[in-house]
Amino acid sequence: MYRNTSTPADDNGCGWFHLSPPRDVRPGHSGRTEARWVVLGAGFTGLAAARQLALKFPQDEIVVIEGQQVGFGASGRNSGFAIDLPHDIGAHDYIGDPATARMNLKLNHFAQSMIRTLVEQYGIDCQIRADGKYQAAVEEKGLAVLQAYRSGLDKLGQAYEMIEARDLPEHLGTSFYRQALYTPGTLLLQPAALAMGLANNLPANVSLYENTVITHLEQGDKITLRHANGEFIAHELLLCNNAFASHFGFLPGRLLPIFTYASMTRPLSVEEQARLGGKETWGIIPADPFGSTLRRTPDQRLLVRNSFSFNASGQAQQRYLERAARQHRTSFDRRFPMLPDMPFDYTWGGSMCLSRNHSSYFGSLAPRVHGALCCNGLGITRGTATGTLLANWLAGEKDELTDFLLASPGPNRNPPEPLLSLGVNLNLNWGQRRAGLEA
Ligand SMILES: Cc1cc2nc3c(=O)[nH]c(=O)nc-3n(C[C@H](O)[C@H](O)[C@H](O)COP(=O)(O)OP(=O)(O)OC[C@H]3O[C@@H](n4cnc5c(N)ncnc54)[C@H](O)[C@@H]3O)c2cc1C
């Protein structure tokens, strides 16, 4: 029996969540429910797994449990880049082994195609646009990353465009960056609206319970999941709850809940848009992984994401949020001097589940317990693909993508606490300091 040592508790500041179309939240669970399939976590991974299980097992009831509201967790808090290209920050050219990179590319394309199809099929209003992404640099180190990534993309035969400083304001308005590498294949979207839209349109044999926090997990012939008002009995359990899986004793110390933070302005007026210039919408990711991600959204807000903290509990912490908000202001003002005193309507944080070796977990964790965990900051595509493929695999289907995921080494071990927190915090602080103007 595992008594959960920490449960999800995100802050209430997420702009995407509050700006999403209203929906009927599914009621929390009470009493006792037994089901063949239970999915824990209704982020992109859990929603994809539940949908696919429902299609593969039309006679079974599929239960999905979410501790908060759908769209309130990390899946609704991210920057909305559904990225196609692999970006292995452990490899010198960010591509690494071409065979592995090609499989990751296939996985991401598989997920993008699912997302597009579902958005179209159900008319999900999530501002999805095939805008591509700019990877932009301002520091020497960042410029070197762009050159290295360029050679990796050549190796992989992927299209890109290098854009020099003089031409960047035409694209982005700001003249802050010295160079950018544009790749066309990324989809930009409103993540909370997508997660909610997917939850609203689950197949009829899926029962979703929101605001139902699982506090105890007991393994036996069947799996018992307890919460404050009752319990679920699962014949098969799929853990799609990101780093919280380790609070039930799975992959202990290997799933790192690293928080990152975002702020979003009010919509720019027409005059402010003219002052900014550039394209109507865009997405920028930093050349330095510790730098800032930015978005110009279809409703003309600007978003800035940066700053990291290691919240071992997986829960939000106000002091880190406040520190990040100060950094967002500095980062915004550096890039957009033409928009002085622009207020942020929203500031929030969220957990990325990272592993030290950037590897995810896919497969069985124990008898009757399976997992698709640790998207390493790329959960829109990765979670959609791995959730779907986990369901396929449990239905007895295998293909090259499933084989690839099953063969992955999985998240590696870390030193025990307090060394772990010490090491991660040192690494995060050092990385953020070195990012210089890219932060
Ligand atoms: C600010 C920010 C920016 C990011 N930018 C991007 C980006 O642009 N593109 C991208 O692809 N990724 C991005 N990410 C990462 C992305 O959000 C994650 O990879 C993704 O959310 C993982 O999806 P998931 O479904 O696996 O997990 P989650 O979204 O974390 O879903 C797991 C769910 O499980 C629930 N849960 C956990 N424990 C319990 C319990 N005991 N009982 C009940 N429910 C439980 C949680 O409430 C949660 O909703 C970003 C993340 C952040 C925070």
Side-chain angles (χ1 to χ4, degrees):
M1 153 92 87
Y2 275 99
R3 190 176 158 276
N4 202 347
T5 47
S6 188
T7 52
D10 285 305
D11 66 71
N12 191 28
C14 178
W16 301 124
F17 180 80
H18 293 294
L19 294 167
S20 294
R23 64 180 280 268
D24 290 330
V25 177
R26 307 285 173 91
H29 179 259
S30 60
R32 184 177 191 273
T33 297
E34 180 161 347
R36 180 167 174 209
W37 304 102
V38 173
V39 178
L40 183 57
F44 290 123
T45 311
L47 291 168
R51 164 173 300 283
Q52 195 68 3
L53 282 174
L55 302 179
K56 294 291 166 194
F57 301 97
Q59 307 308 326
D60 290 345
E61 189 201 359
I62 320 297
V63 164
V64 190
I65 310 167
E66 171 53 52
Q68 309 183 97
Q69 279 183 38
V70 171
F72 198 81
S75 286
R77 290 174 175 264
N78 58 64
S79 305
F81 289 67
I83 294 181
D84 55 335
L85 293 168
H87 189 89
D88 177 357
I89 59 172
H92 76 281
D93 59 1
Y94 297 84
I95 291 298
D97 168 41
T100 306
R102 280 203 183 87
M103 291 309 290
N104 280 319
L105 189 62
K106 271 193 187 175
L107 263 182
N108 294 343
H109 282 158
F110 169 66
Q112 284 188 330
S113 146
M114 289 195 63
I115 292 169
R116 279 179 194 270
T117 305
L118 291 168
V119 165
E120 204 178 301
Q121 187 177 349
Y122 297 113
I124 299 173
D125 177 12
C126 66
Q127 306 175 354
I128 191 165
R129 292 171 78 124
D131 277 340
K133 66 171 164 57
Y134 295 84
Q135 188 163 358
V138 60
E139 297 277 8
E140 288 300 324
K141 186 167 152 256
L143 294 170
V145 168
L146 296 190
Q147 290 311 319
Y149 194 41
R150 174 186 196 163
S151 70
L153 291 176
D154 284 337
K155 193 165 85 181
L156 208 57
Q158 291 299 306
Y160 62 83
E161 190 188 338
M162 295 301 288
I163 307 172
E164 300 303 327
R166 66 176 177 278
D167 299 321
L168 277 171
E170 255 175 63
H171 294 254
L172 307 172
T174 172
S175 50
F176 176 73
Y177 293 104
R178 291 168 65 191
Q179 195 177 45
L181 187 158
Y182 173 77
T183 51
T186 289
L187 304 174
L188 298 182
L189 50 83
Q190 206 281 38
L194 175 61
M196 293 183 199
L198 293 170
N200 293 345
N201 292 288
L202 285 166
N205 56 330
V206 178
S207 302
L208 165 65
Y209 298 95
E210 296 179 65
N211 295 314
T212 302
V213 180
I214 298 303
T215 51
H216 293 76
L217 186 153
E218 193 174 332
Q219 298 182 63
D221 289 346
K222 294 175 184 168
I223 311 293
T224 305
L225 298 162
R226 297 215 172 89
H227 58 89
N229 300 314
E231 63 182 22
F232 295 92
I233 311 295
H235 301 197
E236 304 288 335
L237 170 67
L238 282 71
L239 285 177
C240 300
N241 61 339
N242 219 338
F244 283 103
S246 60
H247 293 286
F248 288 117
F250 298 104
L251 306 171
R254 297 180 188 220
L255 307 175
L256 305 174
I258 310 271
F259 271 57
T260 185
Y261 299 85
S263 287
M264 190 190 261
T265 66
R266 62 163 168 73
L268 306 190
S269 68
V270 173
E271 186 274 321
E272 286 164 343
Q273 291 172 44
R275 244 192 284 152
L276 170 61
K279 292 185 177 175
E280 212 176 282
T281 57
W282 40 250
I284 302 173
I285 63 162
D288 184 317
F290 286 95
S292 297
T293 297
L294 291 111
R295 289 269 317 264
R296 180 172 178 179
T297 65
D299 58 351
Q300 296 304 309
R301 294 170 188 268
L302 292 169
L303 172 147
V304 51
R305 183 221 49 86
N306 58 41
S307 307
F308 298 91
S309 63
F310 180 51
N311 302 11
S313 68
Q315 299 179 328
Q317 290 191 33
Q318 187 61 23
R319 68 194 162 109
Y320 293 140
L321 191 64
E322 286 164 12
R323 186 180 71 184
R326 290 193 292 276
Q327 179 61 48
H328 293 161
R329 174 51 53 206
T330 306
S331 307
F332 185 94
D333 291 348
R334 249 178 215 158
R335 285 160 177 84
F336 306 111
M338 72 296 274
L339 300 170
D341 305 319
M342 174 63 60
F344 289 132
D345 273 3
Y346 301 100
T347 296
W348 67 92
S351 165
M352 298 182 293
C353 181
L354 305 186
S355 60
R356 198 159 46 90
N357 59 351
H358 317 295
S359 188
S360 306
Y361 189 85
F362 180 93
S364 292
L365 291 151
R368 291 169 288 284
V369 183
H370 320 282
L373 298 161
C374 198
C375 293
N376 281 294
L378 288 173
I380 303 180
T381 44
R382 187 101 188 165
T384 302
T386 56
T388 306
L389 293 169
L390 186 65
N392 282 352
W393 180 60
L394 292 169
E397 290 178 19
K398 280 186 82 181
D399 62 12
E400 58 167 351
L401 291 179
T402 326
D403 288 341
F404 168 66
L405 290 170
L406 288 167
S408 131
N412 57 351
R413 281 177 194 280
N414 287 306
E417 290 291 8
L419 287 180
L420 176 60
S421 287
L422 199 69
V424 177
N425 283 320
L426 273 176
N427 197 28
L428 292 178
N429 290 339
W430 183 70
Q432 290 174 99
R433 220 162 270 165
R434 277 190 58 202
L437 289 175
E438 297 214 358

